Amino acid sequence: MANMLTVFFASSLLLTTIFCIRSSNALDINYYNSSCPNVESLVTVAVKKAIANDGTVPAALLRMHFHDCFIRGCDGSVLLNSTQKNSAEKDGPPNISLHAFYVIDRAKKAVESSCPGVVSCADILALAARDAVALSGGPNWKVPVGRKDGRISRASDTRQLPPPTSNFSQLSLSFAQRGLSIADLVALSGGHTLGFAHCSSFQNRIHNFNQSVDVDPSLSSSFAVGLRKICPAHNKVQNAGAGLDSTATVFDNAYFKLLLQGKSLFSSDQALLTNPSTKQLITQFASSQAKFNAEFVKSMVKMGNLKGGKEVRLDCRFVR
């Protein structure tokens, strides 16, 4: 057992070291001031147009950025297409439901027309995620830029992403390996204020929860009844599911309010209430939108500092 623990902690330290090394070269909000001064406005225009046609775009872009950063750092590897010889991250099981890649493609095309070969796809995705939040009523902030694009993207690596069934220990370890604190965990989980979840993501809480009870007792009983109607035990409706909170297209603190009422969808959401420190943060965020906004921005910038790429792709879907 001692040897197993030694290996476990050594591997955790190695992962943390890798991510810290990747983030050692500081990004800069002024990185493109001379080389591509209009990059932010070009990205914002692309995101605005997409949102006007599809209200699910903000959640998709925010989730895409998170899933990108948590694998090899924020290197745009989630944008790469699979090839005959390689199954890429976007085709890994946790990423099958990712969409709106076309928004990044359109933004990249506009940026390339203005500043050829200068702006990385990883930076465009980071800027688009910020715009997704701001255009949904959330905070706006200056995004440090200067990331490079990665050349490696493997579907098997998506196993590193924390699943919605994670417990608190698993979540905190996953974040710690990337140099992120439990405060970052709570703030970034607040991104669940945007979006939709398919039944498969929370089925474990509303059917056959354990040998003693069918439904997770931490769920509000009335909320669970509603979820079971939408997602019956043998659900055959492919796109059945529920919004992540009651205002799923608005960036607000409703997620935290509902979490305290037993009305969260994922086991990983409920897990945040099992630790006194994270429960205290949830309570603070539930009572103050401003506090949540400020901490969310800090954590987004911190997560965005994880870097791992080496080039600027001309097409976000393919390596040069």
Side-chain angles (χ1 to χ4, degrees), residues 22 27 37 58 82 113 132 150 152 172 214 216 220 227 240 256 274 311:
R22 286 177 176 174
L27 302 175
S82 294
S113 296
I152 300 173
S172 56
D214 201 30
D216 183 346
S220 156
L227 292 179
F256 295 106
T274 63
E311 66 182 18

Side-chain angles (χ1 to χ4, degrees), residues 67-277:
H67 282 213
D68 184 40
C69 294
F70 257 58
I71 303 296
R72 296 178 175 277
C74 313
D75 66 346
S77 55
V78 74
L79 304 171
L80 288 169
N81 282 354
S82 294
T83 65
Q84 288 185 340
K85 297 182 179 180
N86 179 66
S87 182
E89 288 172 31
K90 65 170 59 173
D91 291 319
N95 288 342
I96 291 296
S97 59
L98 286 182
H99 67 287
F101 292 101
Y102 71 90
V103 181
I104 306 303
D105 293 336
R106 290 176 182 175
K108 176 66 168 175
K109 183 177 180 180
V111 171
E112 283 298 311
S113 296
S114 180
C115 321
V118 173
V119 182
S120 67
C121 297
D123 275 343
I124 290 174
L125 177 53
L127 291 167
R130 183 274 313 276
D131 290 339
V133 171
L135 293 169
S136 299
N140 204 339
W141 67 94
K142 289 290 185 181
V143 177
V145 288
R147 299 167 187 79
K148 300 301 180 187
D149 296 322
R151 297 179 60 85
I152 300 173
S153 182
R154 292 192 286 253
S156 58
D157 289 339
T158 60
R159 287 176 293 189
Q160 298 175 34
L161 294 169
T165 54
S166 299
N167 60 34
F168 181 77
S169 295
Q170 293 166 331
L171 290 170
S172 56
L173 176 61
S174 178
F175 274 65
Q177 287 173 339
R178 290 153 179 85
L180 299 172
S181 66
I182 58 172
D184 298 315
L185 166 60
V186 178
L188 293 173
S189 292
H192 288 169
T193 183
L194 295 175
F196 175 90
H198 291 97
C199 295
S200 58
S201 298
F202 55 89
Q203 195 86 354
N204 65 303
R205 299 189 72 194
I206 57 174
H207 299 290
N208 300 314
F209 179 68
N210 61 32
Q211 293 182 340
S212 302
V213 295
D214 201 30
V215 176
D216 183 346
S218 65
L219 276 174
S220 156
S221 57
S222 59
F223 184 63
V225 168
L227 292 179
R228 283 166 63 93
K229 287 180 180 178
I230 297 169
C231 305
H234 302 289
N235 174 58
K236 295 181 180 179
V237 181
Q238 186 175 3
N239 293 320
L244 291 178
D245 74 7
S246 56
T247 55
T249 60
V250 178
F251 192 95
D252 56 21
N253 63 344
Y255 162 80
F256 295 106
K257 294 176 181 179
L258 293 171
L259 183 50
L260 292 172
Q261 297 170 23
K263 296 178 180 179
S264 62
L265 290 183
F266 302 147
S267 296
S268 56
D269 294 326
Q270 181 62 31
L272 300 179
L273 290 172
T274 63
N275 176 275
S277 296

